[in-house]
Amino acid sequence: MTISGAVALGVLLIVLYRVVSTPRHVDGRAADHFVASSYGLPPREQLDSRRPGPPPPVYRTKERQAVADAAWEGDWETAERYVSAAGEDWDERWARLELLQHVAREDDAWLEAWHAAEPGNCDAATLRASLMVHRAWEVRGSGYAHEVLSSDMDRFRAMLPAAIEEAQRAALLDPANPGPWVVMITAARGAKYRRARFKPLWEGLVARAPHHYEGHWQALQYWCAKWYGSDRRMMRFARQAVRKAPPGSPLAGIYLHALNELTERHLVVAMPFTPLTRKTLKQVAASFEQVPPDDERLPALRHLLAHYMLQSMLYTAALEQFRLIGPWCGAQPWFKYEHAAIAFEIARATAVKRSRTRPVSNPPVYGMSR
């Protein structure tokens, strides 16, 4: 297998489900005579539902494949160098560990050889702990607690203590590295950690990496109502992420995940939006302007931003996000519908119609070279 598919699953996880009605504020008739190119948008025939955004540069794909191939051939040194090269860019370092986790799920002999050769290596220990957590979650599955067989739930919870212990040992190997703390935060909700036990883990993470994206995403899951928080706690946490997002980080996108969690939890296709919600969405958009355009997390987040701007009647702002997205429509929330490209087209047309945007006199010519 190639690693590009695994990367897409690991970094840009898409939850597929269908709904039977059209979202509020999205007019299905708006696309009937809609000519996208007249409004600075790629035409309908160029829409691509295979990806949320353009593929990564060829050199990056080749590098990842080379690391994966080397590992499967037993060369753990290449993996070690690949992770170490990220330095103290903790988000990038974690992304590289996630890649290696997908590699190890296919065959972890190289990882065990790495750990045996370098028992004091924090990255190897963190990767082992993370792999243990994900294997436990595979036993549990992704359903709500009442949907999981009691035998699977018992196995799941029995596997987590060893993973947490492994992460704790990893943390001692490199006290500055936040990676083990991300693993512990991920495992905490499955291990039924109450708030008093979770709090030190969160403090340990942010003391080392205050803006760690994956760490915030995992903490958001802890604070949602289906685990150990509530809608209010989750949204408060998400708004804090927007406020503290540093320039260049997509951390503000945590707020969009929180809105998505609300939508799914309450089984509705649209939520009531307040002035605070609209204000925060604008802050998220402003924060994204400072994120490097080649950040692979950004395209999927822009889809959510465009969707929730449309839902909150920020039509002109939503249209701008659609222009930045381009022809790509393989992302949430369009996969909620039977035909993602059609849902995406209707949303774009609605943004144009409701914003009362006039056609441009010289529409650009779009290609699919990216």
Side-chain angles (χ1 to χ4, degrees):
M1 68 173 286
T2 64
I3 199 61
S4 57
V7 173
L9 287 172
V11 179
L12 301 172
L13 180 63
I14 298 174
V15 180
L16 301 177
Y17 70 100
R18 295 171 61 180
V19 297
V20 296
S21 58
T22 302
R24 187 181 54 176
H25 303 313
V26 175
D27 184 357
R29 295 170 299 177
D32 289 348
H33 304 290
F34 176 58
V35 181
S37 58
S38 297
Y39 301 94
L41 298 165
R44 183 179 307 180
E45 61 270 16
Q46 290 187 2
L47 297 184
D48 190 333
S49 61
R50 294 171 299 177
R51 303 182 52 85
V58 173
Y59 78 86
R60 193 174 298 167
T61 300
K62 288 183 176 180
E63 179 186 41
R64 290 167 175 167
Q65 190 66 54
V67 170
D69 290 342
W72 286 325
E73 293 170 3
D75 174 15
W76 58 264
E77 291 93 340
T78 297
E80 191 276 333
R81 289 192 297 270
Y82 178 66
V83 177
S84 296
E88 294 186 1
D89 182 342
W90 298 120
D91 275 348
E92 176 62 23
R93 201 176 186 103
W94 181 261
R96 295 185 180 204
L97 283 177
E98 281 192 320
L99 168 68
L100 293 175
Q101 179 180 279
H102 286 287
V103 175
R105 286 169 66 179
E106 295 294 316
D107 179 1
D108 65 354
W110 62 273
L111 175 56
E112 293 305 315
W114 180 10
H115 184 65
E118 295 187 340
N121 187 293
C122 178
D123 292 318
T126 299
L127 185 54
R128 289 179 86 237
S130 182
L131 186 61
M132 293 166 71
V133 172
H134 281 266
R135 283 176 172 165
W137 231 280
E138 287 174 355
V139 170
R140 182 195 184 281
S142 59
Y144 287 97
H146 69 275
E147 300 172 337
V148 181
L149 293 175
S150 58
S151 57
D152 290 342
M153 186 67 80
D154 290 343
R155 287 180 58 205
F156 165 66
R157 290 192 171 133
M159 294 169 72
L160 289 175
I164 293 173
E165 289 175 6
E166 183 73 14
Q168 291 171 336
R169 286 191 290 269
L172 296 175
L173 298 175
D174 183 1
N177 192 326
W181 298 86
V182 177
V183 177
M184 287 185 272
I185 285 173
T186 304
R189 64 184 187 273
K192 303 180 73 171
Y193 275 32
R194 297 299 175 178
R195 295 169 190 173
R197 296 184 71 187
F198 180 80
K199 183 178 178 182
L201 300 182
W202 175 248
E203 291 174 344
L205 171 65
V206 296
R208 292 160 175 81
H211 309 119
H212 200 287
Y213 186 90
E214 179 66 15
H216 278 76
W217 192 90
Q218 294 295 343
L220 181 79
Q221 298 304 303
Y222 181 90
W223 289 118
C224 73
K226 66 188 177 188
W227 288 99
Y228 298 107
S230 64
D231 290 348
R232 178 173 294 184
R233 285 181 179 273
M234 178 184 68
M235 296 310 300
R236 183 171 62 193
F237 177 84
R239 286 192 293 269
Q240 289 173 350
V242 176
R243 287 194 295 270
K244 68 182 183 181
S249 168
L251 185 63
I254 294 297
Y255 182 74
L256 304 174
H257 288 299
L259 290 179
N260 200 51
E261 176 66 30
L262 278 183
T263 302
E264 293 187 3
R265 174 172 173 74
H266 295 286
L267 299 178
V268 296
V269 294
M271 296 291 294
F273 286 95
T274 66
L276 177 58
T277 305
R278 297 184 182 95
K279 176 183 176 182
T280 308
L281 287 170
K282 292 176 183 178
Q283 292 172 335
V284 172
S287 182
F288 284 179
E289 290 178 2
Q290 302 179 72
V291 179
D294 64 345
D295 189 307
E296 293 180 54
R297 295 164 291 187
L298 188 58
L301 291 172
R302 284 203 188 279
H303 286 279
L304 288 174
L305 179 57
H307 171 67
Y308 286 115
M309 282 182 156
L310 194 62
Q311 294 289 333
S312 63
M313 297 183 286
L314 295 172
Y315 302 120
T316 300
L319 178 57
E320 177 57 27
Q321 293 303 314
F322 283 121
R323 285 174 173 152
L324 291 168
I325 289 168
W328 314 98
C329 57
Q332 285 260 46
W334 323 119
F335 276 141
K336 294 177 181 180
Y337 307 98
E338 186 172 4
H339 300 290
I342 294 175
F344 181 73
E345 181 74 347
I346 291 172
R348 295 195 307 169
T350 301
V352 167
K353 179 180 178 181
R354 298 294 178 88
S355 65
R356 300 183 179 180
T357 300
R358 295 180 177 275
V360 296
S361 55
N362 295 304
V365 176
Y366 288 92
M368 295 292 288
S369 58
R370 293 187 67 188

